[in-house]
C-alpha cells in the first residue's frame, strides 16, 4: 500500500470525505461515517499522514448521547481530534441529546460536546440537534450567530425557540419547539425552500420572511394562533397539513402536491379546496371519513392519490397508521360524474379499515376495482381513467405483505 502514489490516494480520500448533506430531517448518529477517517489513517504511516492532512475527512461531528462509560473518553478524544484536523472546513453535526439522561455521569460529557459545537457554529453545514432544556444555553451563541455554510437544519428544543442562525444558504429547516420567541422580521433566510414546523405556538409568524422561495411546507401540529391575513407562497409546490383550518389562508398558485390529515376536514373546507384546481397529487392520512368527500371532490385535477401518512409525518409524529371509515369510498365510487376523473395512480401506505364488519374494506375495494377495470356507470365522455395500484416502497416487508393482501381481491 505504501507504493500507491498520492495522486491515486487523494481521490480515494476525497470520495470517502463525502460532502453529501445529512438526511433531512431525520439524521441520526452514523457509526460507519464516524469511523471512516480512522480506518483510512490506520492502514499505514503514509496513509495516516495523508489522512491527517485531508481536512474534509474530519468534518463529521456525530456523537452518541448516552455512550457506554468505557467509550465516553474515546468520544471526547475524537471530538478534540476532529476540531483540530477539520481546520476551517464546514462541518456536519448530529447530536440527539436524551431528554432525561440515564447516566448522570454523562452530563459533563454532553456539556463538553455542546460547548464545542457552539464554538463551531460559524462552520455548520448540516445540523441535527436535539436539546433538552438543561443544555439549550450552551448552544445559544451559535443559534444567534452567522452560519455562512449552513444549508440543512433540524432542531428539537424542549423549550422556547429564541433564535435561528442567520444563514444565507439555508435550504431546509425542521423546527420543533414549545414557544416561538423570535423576531421573525429579523430572520435572514433568503435561500430557504423547505420548511417543516412541529409546534402550535405562532408557527405562522415564520412564514412572511421565509415564504418567497418556499417550495415545500409542512405544518405538523394543530395551530392555535392562525393569522387573520392570507399567506402567499408564490413558489410553493408541496403542502402538508395536520390542521385543515389553515387552508383558507393559503394562496399558492403553483401548488401541485397536498398531504392532508382528514380528521377535521368537512364541508366547511369546500370553498378553500376549490381554489386548488391545479393540484395533481393528493395524500390523505389520519381518519378518513365520509364527511371528507364533499370537500375533496372539489379537486378536479388529481392524477395520483396516496393513502397513508407521508414519511415526514411518520417520522416526526410517530403516526404511522391511517384509518378508512365506512362511507368515504362508497361515495367516491358512486359519484356521477366521477370524482377525480384524471386519477391514474393510487399509492397505498400503512392503513386499515374501521366500521361495521368488512363494509369499509368492501367499499374501498369496489372503488379500486371499478377504476382498475374501467367499469363505470356514466357516459364515456366523462369516464375516468384506469388506475395503476402501487404499494409504498418505504413500508416494511410485513406491512407491504399486509397491504398487498388487502388489495389482492381488487386486482385479481
Amino acid at each position: 500500500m505504501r507504493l500507491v502514489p498520492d495522486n491515486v490516494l487523494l481521490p480515494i480520500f476525497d470520495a470517502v470525505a463525502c460532502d453529501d448533506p445529512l438526511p433531512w430531517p431525520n439524521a441520526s448518529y452514523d457509526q460507519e461515517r464516524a469511523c471512516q477517517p480512522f480506518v483510512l489513517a490506520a492502514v499505514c504511516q503514509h496513509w495516516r499522514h495523508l489522512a491527517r492532512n485531508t481536512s474534509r475527512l474530519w468534518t463529521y461531528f456525530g456523537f452518541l448521547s448516552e455512550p457506554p462509560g468505557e467509550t465516553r473518553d474515546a468520544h471526547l478524544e475524537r471530538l478534540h481530534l476532529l476540531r483540530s484536523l477539520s481546520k476551517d472546513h464546514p462541518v456536519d453535526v448530529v447530536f440527539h441529546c436524551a431528554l432525561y439522561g440515564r447516566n448522570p455521569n454523562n452530563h459533563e460529557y454532553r456539556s463538553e460536546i455542546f460547548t464545542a459545537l457552539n464554538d463551531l457554529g460559524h462552520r455548520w453545514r448540516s445540523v441535527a440537534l436535539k436539546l433538552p432544556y438543561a443544555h439549550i444555553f450552551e448552544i445559544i451563541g451559535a443559534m444567534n450567530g452567522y452560519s455562512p455554510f449552513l444549508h440543512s437544519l433540524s432542531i428539537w428544543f424542549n423549550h422556547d425557540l429564541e433564535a435561528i442562525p442567520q444563514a444565507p444558504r439555508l435550504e431546509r429547516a425542521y423546527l420543533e419547539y414549545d414557544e416561538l420567541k423570535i423576531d421573525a422580521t429579523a430572520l435572514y433566510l433568503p435561500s430557504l425552500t423547505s420548511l417543516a414546523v412541529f409546534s402550535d405556538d405562532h408557527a405562522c409568524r415564520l412564514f412572511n420572511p421565509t415564504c418567497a422561495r418556499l417550495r415545500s411546507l409542512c405544518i405538523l401540529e394543530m395551530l392555535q394562533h392562525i393569522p387573520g391575513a392570507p399567506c402567499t407562497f408564490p413558489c410553493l409546490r408541496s403542502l402538508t397539513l395536520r390542521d385543515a383550518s389553515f387552508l383558507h389562508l393559503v394562496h399558492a398558485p403553483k401548488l401541485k402536491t397536498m398531504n392532508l390529515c382528514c380528521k377535521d376536514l368537512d364541508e366547511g373546507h369546500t370553498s378553500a379546496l376549490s381554489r386548488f384546481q391545479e393540484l395533481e397529487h393528493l395524500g390523505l392520512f389520519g381518519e378518513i371519513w365520509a364527511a371528507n368527500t364533499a370537500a375533496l371532490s372539489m379537486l378536479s385535477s388529481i392524477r395520483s392519490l396516496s393513502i397513508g401518512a407521508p414519511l415526514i409525518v411518520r417520522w416526526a409524529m410517530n403516526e404511522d397508521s391511517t384509518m378508512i371509515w365506512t362511507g368515504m369510498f362508497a361515495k367516491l365510487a358512486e359519484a356521477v360524474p366521477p370524482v377525480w376523473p384524471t386519477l391514474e395512480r393510487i399509492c397505498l401506505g400503512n392503513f386499515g379499515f374501521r366500521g361495521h364488519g368488512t363494509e369499509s374494506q368492501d367499499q374501498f375495494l369496489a372503488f379500486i376495482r371499478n377504476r382498475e377495470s374501467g367499469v363505470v356507470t356514466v357516459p364515456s365522455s366523462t369516464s375516468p381513467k384506469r388506475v395503476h395500484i402501487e404499494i409504498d416502497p418505504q413500508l416494511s416487508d410485513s406491512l407491504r405483505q399486509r397491504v398487498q393482501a388487502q388489495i389482492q381481491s381488487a386486482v385479481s
Side-chain angles (χ1 to χ4, degrees):
M1 300 301 291
R2 289 178 299 176
L3 300 179
V4 179
D6 290 357
N7 64 338
V8 174
L9 287 176
L10 289 175
I12 295 175
F13 285 18
D14 284 339
V16 172
C18 179
D19 279 336
D20 291 343
L22 298 173
W24 181 87
N26 55 332
S28 58
Y29 174 70
D30 187 338
Q31 176 74 19
E32 180 179 351
R33 186 171 176 183
C35 292
Q36 283 175 344
F38 297 92
V39 172
L40 292 176
V43 171
C44 64
Q45 186 174 357
H46 181 57
W47 280 45
R48 176 183 175 85
H49 173 76
L50 282 180
R52 290 177 64 92
N53 285 280
T54 305
S55 60
R56 291 176 56 209
L57 280 174
W58 309 93
T59 58
Y60 179 69
F61 284 72
F63 296 92
L64 292 172
S65 173
E66 295 284 326
E70 64 273 14
T71 67
R72 190 164 52 240
D73 290 343
H75 277 280
L76 292 178
E77 289 178 9
R78 183 169 70 90
L79 171 65
H80 301 318
L81 189 63
L82 292 176
R83 293 193 66 177
S84 172
L85 297 183
S86 62
K87 298 182 173 61
D88 294 324
H89 205 279
V91 300
D92 300 319
V93 173
V94 179
F95 193 41
H96 293 186
C97 191
L99 182 58
Y100 302 106
R102 295 185 296 271
N103 186 346
N105 294 326
N106 282 330
H107 182 81
E108 292 185 4
Y109 158 83
R110 293 193 293 266
S111 291
E112 187 165 348
I113 290 179
F114 276 124
T115 299
L117 298 182
N118 184 62
D119 294 341
L120 293 168
H122 64 290
R123 291 167 51 195
W124 284 359
R125 177 173 55 190
S126 296
V127 174
L129 287 176
K130 182 175 288 187
L131 294 89
Y133 178 73
H135 296 284
I136 286 176
F137 297 101
E138 295 170 349
I139 206 77
I140 197 65
M143 293 297 295
N144 276 309
Y146 181 67
S147 298
F149 306 108
L150 184 63
H151 64 72
S152 177
L153 177 68
S154 297
I155 291 287
W156 301 260
F157 273 14
N158 182 36
H159 195 57
D160 304 339
L161 181 61
E162 299 183 357
I164 298 176
Q166 300 298 309
R169 298 183 184 179
L170 183 65
E171 297 179 0
R172 301 175 298 179
Y174 173 87
L175 307 174
E176 184 172 335
Y177 54 87
D178 287 344
E179 295 184 30
L180 183 67
K181 294 187 176 180
I182 293 177
D183 179 7
T185 61
L187 288 177
Y188 182 58
L189 306 172
S191 301
L192 192 67
T193 57
S194 297
L195 175 64
V197 182
F198 192 179
S199 175
D200 62 356
D201 182 77
H202 297 290
C204 296
R205 284 168 46 193
L206 292 168
F207 300 154
N208 286 338
T210 61
C211 63
R213 294 193 178 185
L214 272 185
R215 296 175 63 88
S216 174
L217 174 63
C218 303
I219 305 177
L220 303 174
E221 188 56 279
M222 304 298 289
L223 297 176
Q224 295 182 5
H225 305 280
I226 296 178
C231 298
T232 300
F233 302 94
C235 299
L236 195 68
R237 298 299 182 92
S238 175
L239 176 65
T240 299
L241 292 177
R242 191 182 180 193
D243 187 354
S245 61
F246 183 62
L247 278 172
H248 73 282
L249 292 174
V250 175
H251 177 60
K254 295 184 179 180
L255 191 68
K256 295 297 183 182
T257 300
M258 182 185 293
N259 296 296
L260 277 177
C261 179
C262 293
K263 180 180 179 181
D264 299 309
L265 187 69
D266 55 29
E267 292 184 4
H269 299 98
T270 300
S271 61
L273 282 173
S274 66
R275 294 184 292 110
F276 299 103
Q277 291 304 310
E278 301 301 317
L279 198 70
E280 297 181 355
H281 310 287
L282 176 65
L284 304 177
F285 63 97
E287 306 279 329
I288 302 178
W289 306 85
N292 304 147
T293 312
L296 293 175
S297 63
M298 294 294 101
L299 304 172
S300 59
S301 300
I302 298 301
R303 295 175 54 196
S304 69
L305 173 68
S306 297
I307 304 294
L311 179 61
I312 192 169
V313 174
R314 299 201 300 265
W315 170 79
M317 301 171 56
N318 196 25
E319 185 173 310
D320 196 20
S321 181
T322 292
M323 294 299 165
I324 300 175
W325 287 81
T326 302
M328 167 71 174
F329 282 93
K331 290 188 175 183
L332 290 178
E334 298 167 358
V336 179
V339 175
W340 307 328
T342 58
L343 186 67
E344 299 174 340
R345 170 181 169 271
I346 298 178
C347 181
L348 301 175
N350 185 18
F351 73 100
F353 296 99
R354 287 287 186 271
H356 301 291
T358 62
E359 187 176 5
S360 61
Q361 181 174 356
D362 293 341
Q363 293 170 355
F364 177 68
L365 294 179
F367 172 76
I368 291 181
R369 186 180 297 112
N370 289 346
R371 291 300 179 96
E372 182 72 15
S373 63
V375 176
V376 293
T377 57
V378 294
S380 58
S381 61
T382 57
S383 296
K385 293 185 176 183
R386 299 185 65 170
V387 172
H388 176 63
I389 309 297
E390 299 178 3
I391 298 179
D392 187 346
Q394 295 176 333
L395 292 182
S396 64
D397 290 340
S398 60
L399 284 176
R400 285 175 60 83
Q401 292 172 5
R402 183 175 68 79
V403 173
Q404 181 66 53
Q406 290 187 35
I407 66 169
Q408 189 169 6
S409 63
V411 297
S412 60

